[in-house]
């Protein structure tokens, strides 16, 4: 079927999430943007417990008018660590305790890894994976069914940080929550984009736009406004607006030109101690004495996001979610 150059064929994507206020913002965008074909959503413990993530994900998809997208329950804890939720950020229910209705649907009767494998291998075009959570499901998929990499276009994951962490001074929550899984993701052997805190924290929707979303008659748009209100950036500004968070990684799939990336070696610190879960991004122009004295270590090369066009991604988000 000839494709219309004005309307390119939508990109098949799967989101692996820990819904989560900003995961919900990401799902709303993925459902509503014409450039994407959201094939499935898989759930993992992170911001809240995995059953809460499943419940929240089903609710968001229903509010967004996309109740038919398959949702599967995945890992209920990291590969090694215990569950360490972020309820202090996302509320007890993981969705800002907004009092949303329980979902009418239930998840599919297969687990997340099986749904990921089925949907990736069944896709007529290579799939882009968008993990916005601890990478436990993705690691289990890669170790259980490595053949899926033949039909993965790219993994664009929200995680890590070049500079400053949030879970610890140096580690970002998704990687810190399951460092071993993140290390496995980085060695998947497919193109990888790291959408880390360095850009994640910058994409903020202005307060006036948030209030307009909250006043919408459309349930999905109104939900986006309520979620953004809950995600005011850490600032003492009078009208802080709301951070897009994970939704920025979806923007990066829709419009990669809005992101500036550099292909750099990235290593996850796995050793116990204050640096565990840090993503060590090697930005040096040449090897140092360490390598010259025999400690050369091959690390996976990752397209690391260093700059983002904030206005471009905010406009992309608002146009898609409000349908204007
Ligand atoms: O560090 C931010 C990440 O951790 C986001 O994905 C947020 O939803 C939480 O999962
Ligand atoms: Ca998340």
């Amino acid at each position: 079927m000839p494709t219309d150059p004005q309307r390119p064929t939508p990109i098949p994507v799967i989101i692996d999430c820990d819904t989560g206020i900003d995961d919900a913002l990401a799902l709303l965008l993925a459902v509503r943007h014409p450039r994407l074909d959201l094939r499935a959503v898989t759930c993992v413990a992170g911001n809240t417990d995995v059953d809460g993530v499943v419940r929240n994900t089903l609710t968001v998809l229903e509010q967004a008018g996309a109740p038919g997208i398959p949702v599967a329950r995945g890992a209920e804890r990291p590969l090694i660590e215990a569950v360490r939720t972020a309820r202090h950020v996302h509320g007890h229910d993981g969705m800002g305790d907004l009092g949303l209705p329980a979902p009418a649907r239930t998840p599919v009767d297969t687990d997340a890894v099986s749904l990921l494998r089925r949907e990736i291998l069944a896709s007529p075009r290579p799939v882009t994976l968008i993990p916005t959570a601890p990478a436990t499901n993705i690691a289990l998929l890669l170790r259980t069914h490595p053949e899926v990499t033949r039909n993965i276009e790219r993994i664009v994951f929200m995680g890590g940080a070049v500079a400053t962490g949030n879970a610890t001074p140096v580690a970002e929550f998704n990687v810190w929550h399951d460092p071993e899984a993140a290390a496995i993701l980085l060695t998947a052997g497919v193109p990888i984009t790291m959408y880390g805190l360095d850009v994640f924290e910058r994409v903020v929707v202005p307060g006036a736009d948030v209030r307009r979303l909250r006043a919408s008659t459309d349930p999905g748009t109104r939900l986006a406004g309520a979620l953004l209100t809950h995600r005011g950036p850490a600032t003492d500004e009078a009208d802080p607006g709301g951070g897009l968070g994970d939704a920025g990684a979806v923007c990066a799939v829709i419009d990669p030109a809005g992101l500036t990336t550099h292909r750099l070696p990235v290593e996850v610190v796995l050793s116990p101690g204050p640096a565990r879960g840090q993503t060590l991004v090697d930005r040096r122009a040449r090897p140092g004495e360490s390598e010259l004295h025999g400690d050369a270590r091959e690390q996976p090369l990752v397209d690391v996001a260093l700059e983002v066009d904030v206005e471009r991604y905010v406009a992309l988000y608002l146009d898609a979610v409000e349908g204007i």
Side-chain angles (χ1 to χ4, degrees):
M1 176 183 72
T3 56
D4 173 358
Q6 300 305 319
R7 291 181 57 80
T9 308
I11 303 167
V13 300
I14 298 176
I15 291 179
D16 185 73
C17 59
D18 60 338
T19 313
I21 291 174
D22 55 331
D23 304 75
L25 292 169
L27 290 170
L28 286 167
L29 175 59
V31 164
R32 293 196 165 183
H33 199 286
R35 187 88 182 84
L36 299 184
D37 174 14
L38 181 59
R39 306 295 303 156
V41 181
T42 49
C43 302
V44 67
N47 287 322
T48 190
D49 61 278
V50 68
D51 292 313
V53 172
V54 169
R55 183 188 63 247
N56 294 338
T57 300
L58 290 167
T59 294
V60 171
L61 292 176
E62 288 173 9
Q63 296 274 321
I69 294 175
V71 173
R73 181 185 188 273
E76 58 186 43
R77 61 166 289 181
L79 300 180
I80 302 291
E81 296 285 356
V83 173
R84 296 170 293 178
T85 65
R87 289 196 174 105
H88 61 295
V89 173
H90 295 264
H92 182 73
D93 69 357
M95 282 285 282
D97 299 317
L98 298 175
L100 293 171
R105 275 196 314 149
T106 57
V108 296
D109 62 1
T110 188
D111 64 273
V113 170
S114 301
L115 182 64
L116 281 161
R117 177 184 182 277
R118 185 184 81 195
E119 289 298 325
I120 290 169
L121 293 183
S123 176
R125 295 172 62 220
V127 170
T128 296
L129 283 186
I130 313 177
T132 62
T136 318
N137 288 342
I138 306 302
L140 292 170
L141 169 71
L142 293 170
R143 287 292 187 263
T144 311
H145 305 294
E147 70 275 14
V148 297
T149 56
R150 71 170 183 256
N151 211 30
I152 292 176
E153 175 74 23
R154 178 173 284 267
I155 299 175
V156 179
F157 78 101
M158 191 282 128
V162 178
T164 307
N166 54 7
T168 80
V170 293
E172 177 279 326
F173 176 80
N174 289 334
V175 176
W176 170 83
H177 198 268
D178 196 341
E180 282 74 17
I184 292 171
L185 182 155
L186 291 180
T187 55
V190 299
I192 294 177
T193 299
M194 177 173 126
Y195 187 88
L197 290 178
D198 317 90
V199 290
F200 171 95
E201 298 287 13
R202 292 182 48 204
V203 187
V204 176
V205 178
D209 294 310
V210 174
R211 285 188 293 278
R212 188 180 67 254
L213 295 179
R214 292 201 66 169
S216 170
T217 56
D218 172 72
T221 307
R222 206 163 51 245
L223 175 59
L227 294 165
L228 284 164
T229 303
H230 195 85
R231 275 191 54 78
T235 169
D236 56 4
E237 285 176 33
D239 189 8
L244 281 185
D246 289 332
V250 178
C251 293
V253 175
I254 295 165
D255 180 17
L259 209 58
T260 303
T261 62
H262 282 214
R263 186 156 296 181
L264 298 167
V266 180
E267 176 180 8
V268 179
V269 176
L270 301 177
S271 51
R276 178 163 163 81
Q278 180 179 12
T279 44
L280 276 180
V281 179
D282 188 350
R283 300 186 68 182
R284 292 175 298 170
R286 63 186 61 79
E289 287 70 16
S290 173
E291 287 82 2
L292 299 176
H293 288 282
D295 187 22
R297 297 201 305 273
E298 283 298 307
Q299 299 301 340
L301 292 177
V302 175
D303 295 318
V304 178
L306 299 175
E307 296 292 340
V308 60
D309 185 332
V310 172
E311 288 181 9
R312 185 166 169 157
Y313 278 5
V314 168
L316 182 159
Y317 190 85
L318 294 173
D319 290 351
V321 169
E322 288 185 287
I324 53 177

